[in-house]
Amino acid sequence: MATIEECRSALDRLSDNLLRADGEVRSATALDRSLSCHITDLDTTFTGRLTDGRIQVRDTVQGPPPDKAQIRLAMTGDDLVAMVDGELNFAKAWASGRVRLEAGFRDLLKLRSLL
């Protein structure tokens, strides 16, 4: 089972990957939205913002997200690490329910290129 530190490191690597992305992926991440990522098996939530193509983690809290972020993710720590390492396809994990992504309709349309 992935630790909180491994999950935080995975989010940092994901942020770096998004910053280096080109084309549609870069355009999809050019949002300014609040973000939460609930790690279900650790019952821990990372909160922050997706802004300028980067994920900025601002806080780590126990339990589910304290506030409703504009973009909300939920998954196990192992799935987060596997996705960032390229071992788990986000679209397949989302379609199968292993990963939950909730956002407004317009944001989902914008983020679809990431899937």
Side-chain angles (χ1 to χ4, degrees), residues 9 25 36 38-39 45 49-50 52-53 58 74 86 98 108 111:
S9 176
V25 172
S36 67
H38 184 223
I39 308 301
T45 301
R49 292 198 74 77
L50 174 63
D52 296 325
R58 294 190 176 152
R98 285 176 69 176
L108 286 173
L111 293 168

Side-chain angles (χ1 to χ4, degrees), residues 84-98:
V84 173
D85 288 344
E87 299 167 2
L88 178 64
N89 179 279
F90 180 84
K92 289 180 182 177
W94 184 48
S96 71
R98 285 176 69 176

Side-chain angles (χ1 to χ4, degrees), residues 21-97:
D22 294 332
E24 284 185 46
V25 172
R26 178 72 174 160
S27 145
T29 62
L31 301 169
D32 184 11
R33 300 288 186 270
S34 59
L35 175 77
S36 67
C37 181
H38 184 223
I39 308 301
T40 56
D41 56 333
L42 299 174
D43 196 26
T44 299
T45 301
F46 296 95
T47 63
R49 292 198 74 77
L50 174 63
T51 185
D52 296 325
R54 285 196 69 89
I55 297 170
Q56 298 173 344
V57 176
R58 294 190 176 152
D59 202 6
T60 305
V61 297
Q62 279 300 114
D67 300 310
K68 186 176 178 180
Q70 292 166 303
I71 299 173
R72 300 168 301 282
L73 293 161
M75 67 197 80
T76 67
D78 288 342
D79 284 346
L80 172 63
V81 171
M83 279 192 310
V84 173
D85 288 344
E87 299 167 2
L88 178 64
N89 179 279
F90 180 84
K92 289 180 182 177
W94 184 48
S96 71

